[in-house]
Amino acid sequence: LTSLDDYKKFSDALPGVHVLANMTEFGKSPLHSTKELADAGCSMVLYPLSAFRAMSRAAEEAYTRILDEGTNAGTLEIMHTREETYAVIDYHKHEAVVDAAAARAKE
């Protein structure tokens, strides 16, 4: 499916069936918004490589700076701090679960 009209026809032909739109960048379909896709009958939207491609670009920039400058000091402003990373992955919650399991194992 490559157009909103295609998605609408497909979803109308399958009432009650959840329709997934795969919005990979640089594919055959234009990059529609979640609202446009919902209006066309899609109940789910997948962005399978968006974060990877963004991370890849950031890694390229970081390693280019390291090569050019001989240090990673100039990359700090494009990085999460340790606490920002922990917040994204909910590190402290998971650390508490592991600590509780370790404590129970010692009992």
Side-chain angles (χ1 to χ4, degrees):
L1 305 177
T2 58
S3 72
L4 292 171
D5 192 48
D6 290 343
Y7 280 108
K8 181 69 174 149
K9 288 176 187 172
F10 188 79
S11 64
D12 286 349
L14 299 167
V17 174
H18 293 282
V19 175
L20 169 71
N22 182 2
M23 289 289 103
T24 187
E25 302 81 10
F26 314 108
K28 293 180 181 180
S29 300
L31 299 177
H32 302 294
S33 72
T34 53
K35 180 174 182 345
E36 290 172 321
L37 290 162
D39 290 346
C42 297
S43 58
M44 300 173 283
V45 183
L46 180 66
Y47 300 93
L49 293 172
S50 300
F52 173 78
R53 287 188 170 118
M55 289 183 289
S56 180
R57 171 65 62 103
E60 178 182 29
E61 181 178 346
Y63 288 124
T64 297
R65 287 186 190 187
I66 291 168
L67 284 171
D68 291 347
E69 299 167 13
T71 177
N72 62 348
T75 64
L76 297 179
E77 74 270 4
I78 63 170
M79 293 182 183
H80 273 162
T81 64
R82 182 181 305 233
E83 283 305 316
E84 288 169 329
T85 298
Y86 285 1
V88 168
I89 64 173
D90 208 359
Y91 177 84
H92 296 298
K93 173 185 157 190
H94 298 292
E95 183 180 45
V97 170
V98 170
D99 290 347
R104 283 192 305 275
K106 288 181 181 179
E107 295 174 354

